[in-house]
Amino acid sequence: MTDTKQDLPPEANGNEKWHDTTHAVWMRSSLSKPDFEAVVEVAEFDDGFRAVRDGKSPEKGILFFTPAEWEAFVLGARDGEFDIPEEYLSEEEAAIQRGEGEVEAAWVPSPLNSPEALAEWERRQQAGA
């Protein structure tokens, strides 16, 4: 994060959660498909904050989460708190939501990542290997 207020874009002023996402490494689920209405992408920062955006329409904005907020969200998601009613899902989507089938989800880099972000992702992959 930048400490100098004049360097920040207008949406960052007064927003203690805001982080510069210029070269953030955005990840999306391998289950995301181009024909989905929205594609959720997540970026993680060194201080544990997370950013979330729609990978199909990133210009719509970014939500920022503190580490505690992110943990609460993940726990709620695991408990089904945010499940979509099945009548709004395709059979495939409903089966995935129920945890059925042999579908394994993984985090993959967003195709919208900057070259710098992709280089950072590759560096992280090598460091973790």
Side-chain angles (χ1 to χ4, degrees), residues 18-54:
W18 184 87
H19 283 62
D20 183 4
T21 60
T22 304
H23 300 300
V25 179
W26 292 97
M27 303 296 286
R28 63 172 60 172
S29 170
S30 59
L31 300 178
S32 295
K33 297 181 181 177
D35 60 334
F36 285 1
E37 190 173 324
V39 175
V40 176
E41 294 186 339
V42 178
E44 181 178 357
F45 300 95
D46 292 340
D47 60 1
F49 277 68
R50 302 291 202 296
V52 177
R53 71 179 184 184
D54 178 350

PDB file of all heavy atoms in Angstrom, residues 18-54:
ATOM      1  N   TRP A  18      -7.912  -0.657   0.941  1.00  0.00           N
ATOM      2  CA  TRP A  18      -7.466  -0.546  -0.439  1.00  0.00           C
ATOM      3  C   TRP A  18      -6.001  -0.967  -0.591  1.00  0.00           C
ATOM      4  O   TRP A  18      -5.160  -0.643   0.238  1.00  0.00           O
ATOM      5  CB  TRP A  18      -7.639   0.885  -0.952  1.00  0.00           C
ATOM      6  CG  TRP A  18      -7.271   1.029  -2.397  1.00  0.00           C
ATOM      7  CD1 TRP A  18      -8.081   0.829  -3.464  1.00  0.00           C
ATOM      8  CD2 TRP A  18      -5.997   1.389  -2.929  1.00  0.00           C
ATOM      9  NE1 TRP A  18      -7.400   1.040  -4.630  1.00  0.00           N
ATOM     10  CE2 TRP A  18      -6.105   1.383  -4.328  1.00  0.00           C
ATOM     11  CE3 TRP A  18      -4.767   1.702  -2.360  1.00  0.00           C
ATOM     12  CZ2 TRP A  18      -5.045   1.687  -5.169  1.00  0.00           C
ATOM     13  CZ3 TRP A  18      -3.704   2.001  -3.205  1.00  0.00           C
ATOM     14  CH2 TRP A  18      -3.854   1.986  -4.587  1.00  0.00           C
ATOM     15  N   HIS A  19      -5.719  -1.710  -1.662  1.00  0.00           N
ATOM     16  CA  HIS A  19      -4.358  -2.101  -2.043  1.00  0.00           C
ATOM     17  C   HIS A  19      -4.205  -1.832  -3.539  1.00  0.00           C
ATOM     18  O   HIS A  19      -5.169  -1.949  -4.299  1.00  0.00           O
ATOM     19  CB  HIS A  19      -4.127  -3.591  -1.791  1.00  0.00           C
ATOM     20  CG  HIS A  19      -3.902  -3.947  -0.359  1.00  0.00           C
ATOM     21  ND1 HIS A  19      -4.833  -3.745   0.623  1.00  0.00           N
ATOM     22  CD2 HIS A  19      -2.834  -4.513   0.247  1.00  0.00           C
ATOM     23  CE1 HIS A  19      -4.358  -4.178   1.781  1.00  0.00           C
ATOM     24  NE2 HIS A  19      -3.138  -4.651   1.578  1.00  0.00           N
ATOM     25  N   ASP A  20      -3.001  -1.525  -3.942  1.00  0.00           N
ATOM     26  CA  ASP A  20      -2.709  -1.333  -5.365  1.00  0.00           C
ATOM     27  C   ASP A  20      -2.756  -2.695  -6.045  1.00  0.00           C
ATOM     28  O   ASP A  20      -2.052  -3.620  -5.657  1.00  0.00           O
ATOM     29  CB  ASP A  20      -1.329  -0.695  -5.528  1.00  0.00           C
ATOM     30  CG  ASP A  20      -0.990  -0.400  -6.986  1.00  0.00           C
ATOM     31  OD1 ASP A  20      -1.848  -0.624  -7.868  1.00  0.00           O
ATOM     32  OD2 ASP A  20       0.135   0.058  -7.223  1.00  0.00           O
ATOM     33  N   THR A  21      -3.604  -2.833  -7.046  1.00  0.00           N
ATOM     34  CA  THR A  21      -3.764  -4.112  -7.750  1.00  0.00           C
ATOM     35  C   THR A  21      -3.136  -4.100  -9.140  1.00  0.00           C
ATOM     36  O   THR A  21      -3.369  -5.016  -9.926  1.00  0.00           O
ATOM     37  CB  THR A  21      -5.254  -4.486  -7.869  1.00  0.00           C
ATOM     38  OG1 THR A  21      -5.928  -3.454  -8.599  1.00  0.00           O
ATOM     39  CG2 THR A  21      -5.896  -4.675  -6.509  1.00  0.00           C
ATOM     40  N   THR A  22      -2.330  -3.077  -9.438  1.00  0.00           N
ATOM     41  CA  THR A  22      -1.746  -2.948 -10.771  1.00  0.00           C
ATOM     42  C   THR A  22      -1.065  -4.227 -11.219  1.00  0.00           C
ATOM     43  O   THR A  22      -1.253  -4.680 -12.346  1.00  0.00           O
ATOM     44  CB  THR A  22      -0.730  -1.783 -10.806  1.00  0.00           C
ATOM     45  OG1 THR A  22      -1.386  -0.590 -10.367  1.00  0.00           O
ATOM     46  CG2 THR A  22      -0.178  -1.581 -12.207  1.00  0.00           C
ATOM     47  N   HIS A  23      -0.267  -4.825 -10.356  1.00  0.00           N
ATOM     48  CA  HIS A  23       0.443  -6.052 -10.711  1.00  0.00           C
ATOM     49  C   HIS A  23       0.058  -7.210  -9.790  1.00  0.00           C
ATOM     50  O   HIS A  23       0.847  -8.128  -9.569  1.00  0.00           O
ATOM     51  CB  HIS A  23       1.953  -5.824 -10.673  1.00  0.00           C
ATOM     52  CG  HIS A  23       2.400  -4.768 -11.629  1.00  0.00           C
ATOM     53  ND1 HIS A  23       2.200  -4.869 -12.991  1.00  0.00           N
ATOM     54  CD2 HIS A  23       2.998  -3.576 -11.436  1.00  0.00           C
ATOM     55  CE1 HIS A  23       2.669  -3.787 -13.581  1.00  0.00           C
ATOM     56  NE2 HIS A  23       3.149  -2.979 -12.661  1.00  0.00           N
ATOM     57  N   ALA A  24      -1.166  -7.158  -9.267  1.00  0.00           N
ATOM     58  CA  ALA A  24      -1.653  -8.244  -8.412  1.00  0.00           C
ATOM     59  C   ALA A  24      -1.738  -9.532  -9.217  1.00  0.00           C
ATOM     60  O   ALA A  24      -2.015  -9.509 -10.425  1.00  0.00           O
ATOM     61  CB  ALA A  24      -3.026  -7.890  -7.847  1.00  0.00           C
ATOM     62  N   VAL A  25      -1.511 -10.648  -8.553  1.00  0.00           N
ATOM     63  CA  VAL A  25      -1.654 -11.962  -9.183  1.00  0.00           C
ATOM     64  C   VAL A  25      -3.085 -12.424  -8.923  1.00  0.00           C
ATOM     65  O   VAL A  25      -3.432 -12.836  -7.829  1.00  0.00           O
ATOM     66  CB  VAL A  25      -0.639 -12.969  -8.610  1.00  0.00           C
ATOM     67  CG1 VAL A  25      -0.829 -14.332  -9.261  1.00  0.00           C
ATOM     68  CG2 VAL A  25       0.792 -12.471  -8.809  1.00  0.00           C
ATOM     69  N   TRP A  26      -3.917 -12.294  -9.950  1.00  0.00           N
ATOM     70  CA  TRP A  26      -5.321 -12.692  -9.850  1.00  0.00           C
ATOM     71  C   TRP A  26      -5.442 -14.168 -10.196  1.00  0.00           C
ATOM     72  O   TRP A  26      -4.889 -14.635 -11.190  1.00  0.00           O
ATOM     73  CB  TRP A  26      -6.179 -11.868 -10.805  1.00  0.00           C
ATOM     74  CG  TRP A  26      -6.274 -10.436 -10.408  1.00  0.00           C
ATOM     75  CD1 TRP A  26      -5.531  -9.401 -10.892  1.00  0.00           C
ATOM     76  CD2 TRP A  26      -7.143  -9.875  -9.424  1.00  0.00           C
ATOM     77  NE1 TRP A  26      -5.892  -8.232 -10.263  1.00  0.00           N
ATOM     78  CE2 TRP A  26      -6.880  -8.491  -9.366  1.00  0.00           C
ATOM     79  CE3 TRP A  26      -8.122 -10.406  -8.591  1.00  0.00           C
ATOM     80  CZ2 TRP A  26      -7.565  -7.631  -8.507  1.00  0.00           C
ATOM     81  CZ3 TRP A  26      -8.806  -9.557  -7.735  1.00  0.00           C
ATOM     82  CH2 TRP A  26      -8.531  -8.191  -7.699  1.00  0.00           C
ATOM     83  N   MET A  27      -6.192 -14.896  -9.355  1.00  0.00           N
ATOM     84  CA  MET A  27      -6.406 -16.325  -9.567  1.00  0.00           C
ATOM     85  C   MET A  27      -7.905 -16.572  -9.689  1.00  0.00           C
ATOM     86  O   MET A  27      -8.713 -15.867  -9.091  1.00  0.00           O
ATOM     87  CB  MET A  27      -5.834 -17.121  -8.390  1.00  0.00           C
ATOM     88  CG  MET A  27      -4.347 -16.879  -8.131  1.00  0.00           C
ATOM     89  SD  MET A  27      -3.261 -17.406  -9.457  1.00  0.00           S
ATOM     90  CE  MET A  27      -3.332 -19.177  -9.247  1.00  0.00           C
ATOM     91  N   ARG A  28      -8.246 -17.607 -10.466  1.00  0.00           N
ATOM     92  CA  ARG A  28      -9.642 -17.998 -10.603  1.00  0.00           C
ATOM     93  C   ARG A  28      -9.737 -19.508 -10.512  1.00  0.00           C
ATOM     94  O   ARG A  28      -8.751 -20.213 -10.701  1.00  0.00           O
ATOM     95  CB  ARG A  28     -10.252 -17.498 -11.905  1.00  0.00           C
ATOM     96  CG  ARG A  28      -9.624 -18.064 -13.155  1.00  0.00           C
ATOM     97  CD  ARG A  28     -10.338 -17.730 -14.444  1.00  0.00           C
ATOM     98  NE  ARG A  28     -10.438 -16.309 -14.706  1.00  0.00           N
ATOM     99  CZ  ARG A  28     -10.878 -15.798 -15.840  1.00  0.00           C
ATOM    100  NH1 ARG A  28     -11.237 -16.584 -16.830  1.00  0.00           N
ATOM    101  NH2 ARG A  28     -10.945 -14.497 -16.008  1.00  0.00           N
ATOM    102  N   SER A  29     -10.919 -19.994 -10.240  1.00  0.00           N
ATOM    103  CA  SER A  29     -11.127 -21.429 -10.142  1.00  0.00           C
ATOM    104  C   SER A  29     -10.998 -22.071 -11.516  1.00  0.00           C
ATOM    105  O   SER A  29     -11.443 -21.513 -12.519  1.00  0.00           O
ATOM    106  CB  SER A  29     -12.516 -21.725  -9.582  1.00  0.00           C
ATOM    107  OG  SER A  29     -12.813 -23.106  -9.706  1.00  0.00           O
ATOM    108  N   SER A  30     -10.413 -23.261 -11.528  1.00  0.00           N
ATOM    109  CA  SER A  30     -10.332 -24.011 -12.779  1.00  0.00           C
ATOM    110  C   SER A  30     -11.721 -24.421 -13.255  1.00  0.00           C
ATOM    111  O   SER A  30     -11.893 -24.802 -14.415  1.00  0.00           O
ATOM    112  CB  SER A  30      -9.453 -25.248 -12.596  1.00  0.00           C
ATOM    113  OG  SER A  30      -9.984 -26.077 -11.571  1.00  0.00           O
ATOM    114  N   LEU A  31     -12.718 -24.339 -12.383  1.00  0.00           N
ATOM    115  CA  LEU A  31     -14.093 -24.668 -12.765  1.00  0.00           C
ATOM    116  C   LEU A  31     -14.779 -23.523 -13.500  1.00  0.00           C
ATOM    117  O   LEU A  31     -15.842 -23.718 -14.078  1.00  0.00           O
ATOM    118  CB  LEU A  31     -14.919 -25.039 -11.531  1.00  0.00           C
ATOM    119  CG  LEU A  31     -14.431 -26.241 -10.728  1.00  0.00           C
ATOM    120  CD1 LEU A  31     -15.314 -26.449  -9.515  1.00  0.00           C
ATOM    121  CD2 LEU A  31     -14.386 -27.484 -11.583  1.00  0.00           C
ATOM    122  N   SER A  32     -14.193 -22.332 -13.474  1.00  0.00           N
ATOM    123  CA  SER A  32     -14.781 -21.185 -14.176  1.00  0.00           C
ATOM    124  C   SER A  32     -14.723 -21.416 -15.673  1.00  0.00           C
ATOM    125  O   SER A  32     -13.705 -21.836 -16.205  1.00  0.00           O
ATOM    126  CB  SER A  32     -14.021 -19.902 -13.832  1.00  0.00           C
ATOM    127  OG  SER A  32     -14.165 -19.594 -12.481  1.00  0.00           O
ATOM    128  N   LYS A  33     -15.819 -21.116 -16.317  1.00  0.00           N
ATOM    129  CA  LYS A  33     -15.902 -21.311 -17.762  1.00  0.00           C
ATOM    130  C   LYS A  33     -16.230 -19.985 -18.437  1.00  0.00           C
ATOM    131  O   LYS A  33     -16.928 -19.152 -17.871  1.00  0.00           O
ATOM    132  CB  LYS A  33     -16.969 -22.353 -18.087  1.00  0.00           C
ATOM    133  CG  LYS A  33     -16.637 -23.715 -17.524  1.00  0.00           C
ATOM    134  CD  LYS A  33     -17.680 -24.726 -17.882  1.00  0.00           C
ATOM    135  CE  LYS A  33     -17.308 -26.069 -17.277  1.00  0.00           C
ATOM    136  NZ  LYS A  33     -18.320 -27.070 -17.528  1.00  0.00           N
ATOM    137  N   PRO A  34     -15.737 -19.801 -19.671  1.00  0.00           N
ATOM    138  CA  PRO A  34     -15.974 -18.530 -20.364  1.00  0.00           C
ATOM    139  C   PRO A  34     -17.446 -18.178 -20.549  1.00  0.00           C
ATOM    140  O   PRO A  34     -17.796 -17.014 -20.632  1.00  0.00           O
ATOM    141  CB  PRO A  34     -15.304 -18.735 -21.729  1.00  0.00           C
ATOM    142  CG  PRO A  34     -14.315 -19.829 -21.519  1.00  0.00           C
ATOM    143  CD  PRO A  34     -14.892 -20.707 -20.441  1.00  0.00           C
ATOM    144  N   ASP A  35     -18.337 -19.177 -20.571  1.00  0.00           N
ATOM    145  CA  ASP A  35     -19.750 -18.886 -20.784  1.00  0.00           C
ATOM    146  C   ASP A  35     -20.496 -18.591 -19.486  1.00  0.00           C
ATOM    147  O   ASP A  35     -21.688 -18.296 -19.506  1.00  0.00           O
ATOM    148  CB  ASP A  35     -20.432 -20.021 -21.546  1.00  0.00           C
ATOM    149  CG  ASP A  35     -20.365 -21.353 -20.821  1.00  0.00           C
ATOM    150  OD1 ASP A  35     -19.440 -21.573 -20.019  1.00  0.00           O
ATOM    151  OD2 ASP A  35     -21.254 -22.200 -21.071  1.00  0.00           O
ATOM    152  N   PHE A  36     -19.829 -18.633 -18.340  1.00  0.00           N
ATOM    153  CA  PHE A  36     -20.467 -18.277 -17.074  1.00  0.00           C
ATOM    154  C   PHE A  36     -20.785 -16.790 -17.082  1.00  0.00           C
ATOM    155  O   PHE A  36     -20.085 -15.990 -17.685  1.00  0.00           O
ATOM    156  CB  PHE A  36     -19.562 -18.584 -15.888  1.00  0.00           C
ATOM    157  CG  PHE A  36     -19.463 -20.056 -15.526  1.00  0.00           C
ATOM    158  CD1 PHE A  36     -20.134 -21.031 -16.231  1.00  0.00           C
ATOM    159  CD2 PHE A  36     -18.680 -20.439 -14.467  1.00  0.00           C
ATOM    160  CE1 PHE A  36     -20.031 -22.364 -15.889  1.00  0.00           C
ATOM    161  CE2 PHE A  36     -18.569 -21.775 -14.112  1.00  0.00           C
ATOM    162  CZ  PHE A  36     -19.253 -22.735 -14.822  1.00  0.00           C
ATOM    163  N   GLU A  37     -21.829 -16.418 -16.368  1.00  0.00           N
ATOM    164  CA  GLU A  37     -22.235 -15.007 -16.292  1.00  0.00           C
ATOM    165  C   GLU A  37     -21.168 -14.154 -15.612  1.00  0.00           C
ATOM    166  O   GLU A  37     -20.921 -13.021 -15.991  1.00  0.00           O
ATOM    167  CB  GLU A  37     -23.562 -14.888 -15.551  1.00  0.00           C
ATOM    168  CG  GLU A  37     -24.170 -13.518 -15.632  1.00  0.00           C
ATOM    169  CD  GLU A  37     -25.558 -13.471 -15.046  1.00  0.00           C
ATOM    170  OE1 GLU A  37     -26.313 -14.456 -15.189  1.00  0.00           O
ATOM    171  OE2 GLU A  37     -25.892 -12.444 -14.454  1.00  0.00           O
ATOM    172  N   ALA A  38     -20.541 -14.702 -14.581  1.00  0.00           N
ATOM    173  CA  ALA A  38     -19.482 -14.001 -13.854  1.00  0.00           C
ATOM    174  C   ALA A  38     -18.381 -15.003 -13.510  1.00  0.00           C
ATOM    175  O   ALA A  38     -18.644 -16.183 -13.356  1.00  0.00           O
ATOM    176  CB  ALA A  38     -20.018 -13.364 -12.583  1.00  0.00           C
ATOM    177  N   VAL A  39     -17.171 -14.517 -13.435  1.00  0.00           N
ATOM    178  CA  VAL A  39     -16.026 -15.348 -13.077  1.00  0.00           C
ATOM    179  C   VAL A  39     -15.323 -14.672 -11.898  1.00  0.00           C
ATOM    180  O   VAL A  39     -14.808 -13.567 -12.030  1.00  0.00           O
ATOM    181  CB  VAL A  39     -15.054 -15.508 -14.266  1.00  0.00           C
ATOM    182  CG1 VAL A  39     -13.811 -16.257 -13.848  1.00  0.00           C
ATOM    183  CG2 VAL A  39     -15.737 -16.211 -15.435  1.00  0.00           C
ATOM    184  N   VAL A  40     -15.343 -15.316 -10.748  1.00  0.00           N
ATOM    185  CA  VAL A  40     -14.748 -14.740  -9.554  1.00  0.00           C
ATOM    186  C   VAL A  40     -13.237 -14.911  -9.595  1.00  0.00           C
ATOM    187  O   VAL A  40     -12.734 -16.011  -9.837  1.00  0.00           O
ATOM    188  CB  VAL A  40     -15.312 -15.400  -8.278  1.00  0.00           C
ATOM    189  CG1 VAL A  40     -14.621 -14.857  -7.033  1.00  0.00           C
ATOM    190  CG2 VAL A  40     -16.814 -15.185  -8.193  1.00  0.00           C
ATOM    191  N   GLU A  41     -12.523 -13.807  -9.365  1.00  0.00           N
ATOM    192  CA  GLU A  41     -11.066 -13.834  -9.289  1.00  0.00           C
ATOM    193  C   GLU A  41     -10.636 -13.255  -7.944  1.00  0.00           C
ATOM    194  O   GLU A  41     -11.246 -12.305  -7.440  1.00  0.00           O
ATOM    195  CB  GLU A  41     -10.437 -13.026 -10.419  1.00  0.00           C
ATOM    196  CG  GLU A  41     -10.694 -13.637 -11.773  1.00  0.00           C
ATOM    197  CD  GLU A  41      -9.969 -12.936 -12.903  1.00  0.00           C
ATOM    198  OE1 GLU A  41      -9.572 -11.768 -12.754  1.00  0.00           O
ATOM    199  OE2 GLU A  41      -9.811 -13.576 -13.954  1.00  0.00           O
ATOM    200  N   VAL A  42      -9.589 -13.836  -7.377  1.00  0.00           N
ATOM    201  CA  VAL A  42      -9.094 -13.434  -6.056  1.00  0.00           C
ATOM    202  C   VAL A  42      -7.605 -13.143  -6.147  1.00  0.00           C
ATOM    203  O   VAL A  42      -6.857 -13.886  -6.789  1.00  0.00           O
ATOM    204  CB  VAL A  42      -9.339 -14.554  -5.019  1.00  0.00           C
ATOM    205  CG1 VAL A  42      -8.785 -14.166  -3.657  1.00  0.00           C
ATOM    206  CG2 VAL A  42     -10.819 -14.889  -4.928  1.00  0.00           C
ATOM    207  N   ALA A  43      -7.177 -12.073  -5.494  1.00  0.00           N
ATOM    208  CA  ALA A  43      -5.755 -11.741  -5.361  1.00  0.00           C
ATOM    209  C   ALA A  43      -5.424 -11.699  -3.877  1.00  0.00           C
ATOM    210  O   ALA A  43      -6.213 -11.198  -3.076  1.00  0.00           O
ATOM    211  CB  ALA A  43      -5.434 -10.400  -6.013  1.00  0.00           C
ATOM    212  N   GLU A  44      -4.257 -12.246  -3.509  1.00  0.00           N
ATOM    213  CA  GLU A  44      -3.810 -12.228  -2.119  1.00  0.00           C
ATOM    214  C   GLU A  44      -2.587 -11.337  -2.008  1.00  0.00           C
ATOM    215  O   GLU A  44      -1.702 -11.374  -2.859  1.00  0.00           O
ATOM    216  CB  GLU A  44      -3.450 -13.645  -1.667  1.00  0.00           C
ATOM    217  CG  GLU A  44      -3.005 -13.716  -0.232  1.00  0.00           C
ATOM    218  CD  GLU A  44      -2.689 -15.131   0.215  1.00  0.00           C
ATOM    219  OE1 GLU A  44      -2.862 -16.080  -0.558  1.00  0.00           O
ATOM    220  OE2 GLU A  44      -2.255 -15.276   1.372  1.00  0.00           O
ATOM    221  N   PHE A  45      -2.549 -10.548  -0.946  1.00  0.00           N
ATOM    222  CA  PHE A  45      -1.429  -9.639  -0.711  1.00  0.00           C
ATOM    223  C   PHE A  45      -0.568 -10.158   0.432  1.00  0.00           C
ATOM    224  O   PHE A  45      -1.015 -10.974   1.243  1.00  0.00           O
ATOM    225  CB  PHE A  45      -1.958  -8.228  -0.417  1.00  0.00           C
ATOM    226  CG  PHE A  45      -2.764  -7.675  -1.557  1.00  0.00           C
ATOM    227  CD1 PHE A  45      -4.141  -7.797  -1.568  1.00  0.00           C
ATOM    228  CD2 PHE A  45      -2.143  -7.073  -2.636  1.00  0.00           C
ATOM    229  CE1 PHE A  45      -4.895  -7.320  -2.634  1.00  0.00           C
ATOM    230  CE2 PHE A  45      -2.879  -6.584  -3.706  1.00  0.00           C
ATOM    231  CZ  PHE A  45      -4.253  -6.713  -3.707  1.00  0.00           C
ATOM    232  N   ASP A  46       0.653  -9.676   0.499  1.00  0.00           N
ATOM    233  CA  ASP A  46       1.610 -10.138   1.502  1.00  0.00           C
ATOM    234  C   ASP A  46       1.108  -9.977   2.929  1.00  0.00           C
ATOM    235  O   ASP A  46       1.486 -10.744   3.809  1.00  0.00           O
ATOM    236  CB  ASP A  46       2.958  -9.421   1.346  1.00  0.00           C
ATOM    237  CG  ASP A  46       3.683  -9.803   0.068  1.00  0.00           C
ATOM    238  OD1 ASP A  46       3.370 -10.869  -0.507  1.00  0.00           O
ATOM    239  OD2 ASP A  46       4.560  -9.032  -0.359  1.00  0.00           O
ATOM    240  N   ASP A  47       0.252  -8.986   3.184  1.00  0.00           N
ATOM    241  CA  ASP A  47      -0.240  -8.746   4.539  1.00  0.00           C
ATOM    242  C   ASP A  47      -1.505  -9.541   4.862  1.00  0.00           C
ATOM    243  O   ASP A  47      -2.130  -9.341   5.899  1.00  0.00           O
ATOM    244  CB  ASP A  47      -0.475  -7.258   4.776  1.00  0.00           C
ATOM    245  CG  ASP A  47      -1.486  -6.645   3.823  1.00  0.00           C
ATOM    246  OD1 ASP A  47      -2.048  -7.374   2.967  1.00  0.00           O
ATOM    247  OD2 ASP A  47      -1.722  -5.429   3.912  1.00  0.00           O
ATOM    248  N   GLY A  48      -1.892 -10.470   3.959  1.00  0.00           N
ATOM    249  CA  GLY A  48      -3.054 -11.314   4.201  1.00  0.00           C
ATOM    250  C   GLY A  48      -4.365 -10.770   3.690  1.00  0.00           C
ATOM    251  O   GLY A  48      -5.371 -11.482   3.677  1.00  0.00           O
ATOM    252  N   PHE A  49      -4.398  -9.512   3.260  1.00  0.00           N
ATOM    253  CA  PHE A  49      -5.611  -8.952   2.667  1.00  0.00           C
ATOM    254  C   PHE A  49      -5.903  -9.683   1.358  1.00  0.00           C
ATOM    255  O   PHE A  49      -4.992 -10.217   0.715  1.00  0.00           O
ATOM    256  CB  PHE A  49      -5.451  -7.458   2.400  1.00  0.00           C
ATOM    257  CG  PHE A  49      -5.700  -6.583   3.597  1.00  0.00           C
ATOM    258  CD1 PHE A  49      -4.831  -6.604   4.681  1.00  0.00           C
ATOM    259  CD2 PHE A  49      -6.787  -5.733   3.646  1.00  0.00           C
ATOM    260  CE1 PHE A  49      -5.055  -5.804   5.786  1.00  0.00           C
ATOM    261  CE2 PHE A  49      -7.024  -4.925   4.748  1.00  0.00           C
ATOM    262  CZ  PHE A  49      -6.152  -4.961   5.821  1.00  0.00           C
ATOM    263  N   ARG A  50      -7.169  -9.701   0.968  1.00  0.00           N
ATOM    264  CA  ARG A  50      -7.575 -10.291  -0.306  1.00  0.00           C
ATOM    265  C   ARG A  50      -8.380  -9.254  -1.071  1.00  0.00           C
ATOM    266  O   ARG A  50      -9.042  -8.398  -0.485  1.00  0.00           O
ATOM    267  CB  ARG A  50      -8.454 -11.523  -0.116  1.00  0.00           C
ATOM    268  CG  ARG A  50      -7.879 -12.668   0.679  1.00  0.00           C
ATOM    269  CD  ARG A  50      -6.754 -13.366  -0.048  1.00  0.00           C
ATOM    270  NE  ARG A  50      -6.482 -14.707   0.378  1.00  0.00           N
ATOM    271  CZ  ARG A  50      -6.062 -15.090   1.566  1.00  0.00           C
ATOM    272  NH1 ARG A  50      -5.925 -14.231   2.525  1.00  0.00           N
ATOM    273  NH2 ARG A  50      -5.794 -16.346   1.824  1.00  0.00           N
ATOM    274  N   ALA A  51      -8.347  -9.384  -2.392  1.00  0.00           N
ATOM    275  CA  ALA A  51      -9.170  -8.578  -3.282  1.00  0.00           C
ATOM    276  C   ALA A  51      -9.974  -9.543  -4.146  1.00  0.00           C
ATOM    277  O   ALA A  51      -9.478 -10.603  -4.529  1.00  0.00           O
ATOM    278  CB  ALA A  51      -8.298  -7.677  -4.158  1.00  0.00           C
ATOM    279  N   VAL A  52     -11.219  -9.182  -4.438  1.00  0.00           N
ATOM    280  CA  VAL A  52     -12.100 -10.025  -5.245  1.00  0.00           C
ATOM    281  C   VAL A  52     -12.702  -9.160  -6.340  1.00  0.00           C
ATOM    282  O   VAL A  52     -13.100  -8.017  -6.100  1.00  0.00           O
ATOM    283  CB  VAL A  52     -13.228 -10.640  -4.378  1.00  0.00           C
ATOM    284  CG1 VAL A  52     -14.190 -11.448  -5.229  1.00  0.00           C
ATOM    285  CG2 VAL A  52     -12.641 -11.495  -3.270  1.00  0.00           C
ATOM    286  N   ARG A  53     -12.760  -9.723  -7.553  1.00  0.00           N
ATOM    287  CA  ARG A  53     -13.368  -9.007  -8.678  1.00  0.00           C
ATOM    288  C   ARG A  53     -14.046 -10.000  -9.607  1.00  0.00           C
ATOM    289  O   ARG A  53     -13.840 -11.213  -9.517  1.00  0.00           O
ATOM    290  CB  ARG A  53     -12.313  -8.215  -9.452  1.00  0.00           C
ATOM    291  CG  ARG A  53     -11.366  -9.103 -10.253  1.00  0.00           C
ATOM    292  CD  ARG A  53     -10.351  -8.294 -11.023  1.00  0.00           C
ATOM    293  NE  ARG A  53      -9.506  -9.157 -11.852  1.00  0.00           N
ATOM    294  CZ  ARG A  53      -8.494  -8.740 -12.571  1.00  0.00           C
ATOM    295  NH1 ARG A  53      -8.174  -7.452 -12.566  1.00  0.00           N
ATOM    296  NH2 ARG A  53      -7.795  -9.582 -13.306  1.00  0.00           N
ATOM    297  N   ASP A  54     -14.837  -9.483 -10.520  1.00  0.00           N
ATOM    298  CA  ASP A  54     -15.451 -10.277 -11.579  1.00  0.00           C
ATOM    299  C   ASP A  54     -14.459 -10.312 -12.740  1.00  0.00           C
ATOM    300  O   ASP A  54     -14.190  -9.276 -13.354  1.00  0.00           O
ATOM    301  CB  ASP A  54     -16.780  -9.656 -12.008  1.00  0.00           C
ATOM    302  CG  ASP A  54     -17.466 -10.402 -13.140  1.00  0.00           C
ATOM    303  OD1 ASP A  54     -16.858 -11.313 -13.747  1.00  0.00           O
ATOM    304  OD2 ASP A  54     -18.628 -10.073 -13.432  1.00  0.00           O
TER     305      ASP A  54
END
